[in-house]
Amino acid sequence: MNINVLLVEDDDLLAKRIANHFADTEFQLTLDNTGAQALQLVHNKMNEGTPFDMAIVDVVLPATDGLNLAKELNTLTDIGVIMLSSRDTQADRIAGLAQGADDYVCKPVDLLELELRMRALYKRIAGTKGEDESEEFIEYADFKLHPDNRTLINPHGDEARLTEAEHKVLICLIANAGKATSRAKISEEIGQPDWSPSDRTVDVLIGRLRKKLGDEKEQKRIVTVRGKGYMLST
């Protein structure tokens, strides 16, 4: 089994270290060291019938902005995205996740940590694919959620793809509909129990979900409960 990975990294030494680390594994890396060819490479692989399973994208690139590239990849494809950055602030991580990234790894990169995160992401992604996808939906109010491919369908039939993190947050809120769910609980559900309750990353994910649910100022499906977290209204 090969796991196809697009590595977009302009640091040649780091790119070589990553490539050497995965040389004898099931991860098959394709390198774009500027970001200029990233989208074309993705489309080429899709046309060949061997699409990328995930992309590792540096935030700072010579030919494009890594955050914008992550957004385009998330919009146009169904691959997982891990951001690489030398900046390790809450704001930087939020910026990456806000563009649709599934994970965020700080430099200097610990190759074992990167591998573990890649394996965890692929395990989650693989769970949403396959020919035996269920035709059953999780229904909430006037929306339907396909649990296998993370597709949210609104009452008009319009579809929106959720990232892995968005999907887990929504599932958590649906399971606790009508009750307030704390940020700590949500962080635990999406596999990031080390995020502090004051971390705004969960808030960013909630904001993205609200947009895809079509929430408006006067009518919100996801309600903020002061001091307690978030609640999906029933």
Side-chain angles (χ1 to χ4, degrees), residues 30-181:
T30 298
L31 175 63
D32 173 9
N33 58 8
T34 67
Q37 301 298 317
L39 293 177
Q40 186 60 52
L41 287 169
V42 168
H43 288 303
N44 290 346
K45 293 287 284 185
M46 292 175 67
N47 292 335
E48 293 168 3
T50 56
F52 287 111
D53 297 290
M54 69 180 70
I56 303 171
V57 180
D58 190 7
V59 170
V60 180
L61 294 166
T64 186
D65 180 274
L67 294 176
N68 287 335
L69 177 57
K71 182 178 181 179
E72 290 184 86
L73 288 171
N74 184 259
T75 301
L76 300 175
T77 71
D78 194 32
I79 66 177
V81 178
I82 297 177
M83 302 298 300
L84 297 182
S85 177
S86 57
R87 295 175 292 201
D88 184 21
T89 67
Q90 176 180 310
D92 292 319
R93 186 170 71 246
I94 287 174
L97 295 175
Q99 298 301 335
D102 295 279
D103 209 342
Y104 192 96
V105 175
C106 296
K107 297 180 178 181
V109 176
D110 182 302
L111 295 178
L112 179 57
E113 177 189 359
L114 177 61
E115 179 178 348
L116 292 174
R117 288 179 180 267
M118 289 169 63
R119 292 189 182 281
L121 177 57
Y122 179 73
K123 184 177 180 180
R124 297 197 300 267
I125 293 172
T128 68
K129 297 180 179 180
E131 296 180 356
D132 58 344
E133 285 188 352
S134 170
E135 293 299 322
E136 295 183 2
F137 291 87
I138 296 173
E139 296 189 15
Y140 158 70
D142 48 0
F143 281 81
K144 296 194 295 185
L145 174 65
H146 197 303
D148 291 329
N149 60 27
R150 292 176 287 149
T151 299
L152 184 67
I153 305 174
N154 71 15
H156 305 291
D158 299 324
E159 298 184 358
R161 176 188 172 273
L162 304 183
T163 66
E164 180 67 23
E166 292 167 353
H167 181 253
K168 285 183 176 292
V169 172
L170 185 55
I171 289 293
C172 179
L173 293 176
I174 290 175
N176 296 279
K179 299 184 295 184
T181 305

